[in-house]
Amino acid sequence: MERKRARSGEIRLTEVAKLAGVSPITASRFFRNPQALSPSKRERVASAAKELGYVPNLAARALASQRTEVIGVLIPSLTNNVFSDVLRGIYDASEGSRYSIQLANTRYSILQEEKLLRLFQAQKPAGLIVTGIDQTAESRSVMETMHCPIAQIMEIGPDPVDMMVGFSHYDAAFAAVSHLLAQGFRRIGFLGAQMDPRVQRRLQGYRDAMKAASLFDPRTIVTTPVPTTVTLGGTLFADLLSRTPDVEAVICVNDDLALGVLFECQRRHISVPEDMAIAGFNDLEFMAAAVPSLTSVRTNRYEMGRLAVSMVTAAIDGNRPPNPVVDLGFELMVRQSSSARSL
């Protein structure tokens, strides 16, 4: 006779334990930390829970332990390809653990970030992963009073709330401009979109590199606050050419813009790199596949997400990393679009 399934709210953990042939303590341990059980016991408890329709009551557990088994993640975009790699690292690192990932999208809004942080604060997460280091005073105050491990990702800075995993956007942009200068290019433009704090630091890296070479010209900077697209890259590049027709190279704050510049060069019959060098940022897959292939700054996005989860979960268990700030660095992927200029 088929076992009649009751609603999950009517099923007790003791019933799951009885069906699985384990003690209630062992069953409870499965839902808190499945890796603590042997494979055979994990399979039996999981099978019993599925058959009975048992779902752990996270809210009740939070009342008892003052923490849910949730790690909150705040990112600024669900459509930006850059963050898909970060999320892949986060989910891969959390798979098989007792923690669930709860994702929230700030949409690059500091007010939305404040609102979501207060929401997470009320839910008592076990840990938190937050994009960036430029939270408002209100957001930082909320984070500092959450009493759970927190990792800020995508960049590093001098004053972490708790832990950080990322790299220097300023240094990466400075290195990209320095590469173009070393290749013989002098009139180098800058294209930026969205203009969030990380992009602003890339712009500052560009400015300082050009000033160090005594070549800075504010007319070679074209930016917009609107979200980035490939089409926008072509539009911004056209604007740059109208301002400074003698521009020889362009550095873009992301790869979408760089691809748009390449397409616009092809429409205008501008040879790359003979007449125009191009460099992007993030090194998405299409940069190597483009013709000609496009130079870009490679960032360790997957590793940022993976390491952030590892650091947070270790801290939850009382094993805080000896160095709370991890600089993953960057790598300049030099390709055909920035080949040395013939002098």
Side-chain angles (χ1 to χ4, degrees):
M1 180 177 180
E2 184 178 357
R3 184 182 300 272
K4 182 179 179 181
R5 293 189 181 185
R7 290 177 300 172
S8 61
E10 298 174 349
I11 300 297
R12 293 179 176 274
L13 184 62
T14 52
E15 297 176 63
V16 175
K18 182 178 180 180
L19 181 60
V22 299
S23 69
I25 292 177
T26 298
S28 176
R29 187 178 299 120
F30 169 81
F31 292 104
R32 288 185 289 107
N33 183 12
Q35 299 305 316
L37 274 64
S38 67
S40 62
K41 286 184 179 180
R42 285 202 304 267
E43 183 177 351
R44 282 153 48 194
V45 176
S47 177
K50 182 177 180 180
E51 181 175 347
L52 293 173
Y54 175 79
V55 178
N57 189 332
L58 294 180
R61 191 178 300 173
L63 289 175
S65 67
Q66 297 302 305
R67 289 289 156 197
T68 62
E69 291 178 346
V70 166
I71 296 176
V73 177
L74 273 72
I75 62 171
S77 174
L78 294 177
T79 58
N80 189 328
N81 288 332
V82 169
F83 294 104
S84 64
D85 289 332
V86 176
L87 291 175
R88 187 164 55 87
I90 287 173
Y91 281 106
D92 282 357
S94 62
E95 186 175 358
S97 75
R98 67 181 185 271
Y99 299 107
S100 299
I101 300 299
Q102 185 170 336
L103 188 62
N105 181 7
T106 67
R107 298 184 176 184
Y108 292 97
S109 166
I110 58 174
L111 295 180
Q112 181 70 359
E113 184 176 57
E114 288 181 5
K115 177 181 177 181
L116 290 170
L117 282 169
R118 284 192 290 268
L119 178 62
F120 274 125
Q121 184 183 40
Q123 294 177 344
K124 299 183 181 298
L128 193 66
I129 298 173
V130 182
T131 301
I133 63 175
D134 296 281
Q135 286 76 31
T136 64
E138 173 65 22
S139 289
R140 188 175 178 97
S141 176
V142 171
M143 293 165 68
E144 289 174 342
T145 57
M146 288 182 72
H147 305 297
C148 70
I150 297 174
Q152 294 163 281
I153 63 172
M154 299 302 288
E155 57 185 321
I156 56 174
D159 189 23
V161 172
D162 186 9
M163 300 175 287
M164 282 181 184
V165 185
F167 68 102
S168 169
H169 292 253
Y170 173 93
D171 289 348
F174 194 102
V177 176
S178 298
H179 161 69
L180 293 174
L181 290 169
Q183 299 301 93
F185 300 100
R186 293 295 175 263
R187 295 288 287 167
I188 303 172
F190 178 95
L191 302 183
Q194 194 73 60
M195 302 313 293
D196 61 73
R198 289 171 295 285
V199 172
Q200 295 285 356
R201 279 186 269 280
R202 296 174 198 174
L203 175 55
Q204 191 59 51
Y206 161 85
R207 282 197 185 102
D208 288 352
M210 294 299 287
K211 287 178 180 178
S214 301
L215 293 171
F216 179 68
D217 180 352
R219 295 177 300 168
T220 59
I221 297 174
V222 180
T223 65
T224 176
V226 304
T228 184
T229 64
V230 173
T231 302
L232 181 61
T235 301
L236 295 179
F237 182 59
D239 191 3
L240 174 64
L241 290 177
S242 69
R243 297 186 190 188
T244 55
D246 60 341
V247 69
E248 304 167 341
V250 60
I251 179 170
C252 305
V253 295
N254 59 43
D255 293 338
D256 289 348
L257 296 185
L259 188 61
V261 171
L262 176 62
F263 290 159
E264 186 65 19
C265 284
Q266 293 170 345
R267 278 190 290 268
R268 293 172 178 250
H269 302 289
I270 299 173
S271 297
V272 177
E274 292 80 6
D275 299 320
M276 185 66 58
I278 304 171
F281 205 103
N282 288 314
D283 197 37
L284 298 178
E285 182 182 11
F286 61 74
M287 298 296 277
V291 179
S293 57
L294 294 167
T295 293
S296 188
V297 175
R298 176 172 292 177
T299 56
N300 300 299
R301 301 177 300 279
Y302 174 87
E303 184 63 12
M304 284 181 215
R306 190 200 66 77
L307 189 55
V309 171
S310 296
M311 292 172 69
V312 166
T313 53
I316 293 171
D317 293 334
N319 302 313
R320 296 188 60 80
N323 184 1
V325 178
V326 179
D327 184 355
L328 290 176
F330 57 88
E331 182 180 3
L332 186 61
M333 306 303 296
V334 177
R335 301 193 178 96
Q336 295 170 329
S337 69
S338 64
S339 297
R341 190 169 199 193
S342 300
L343 300 176

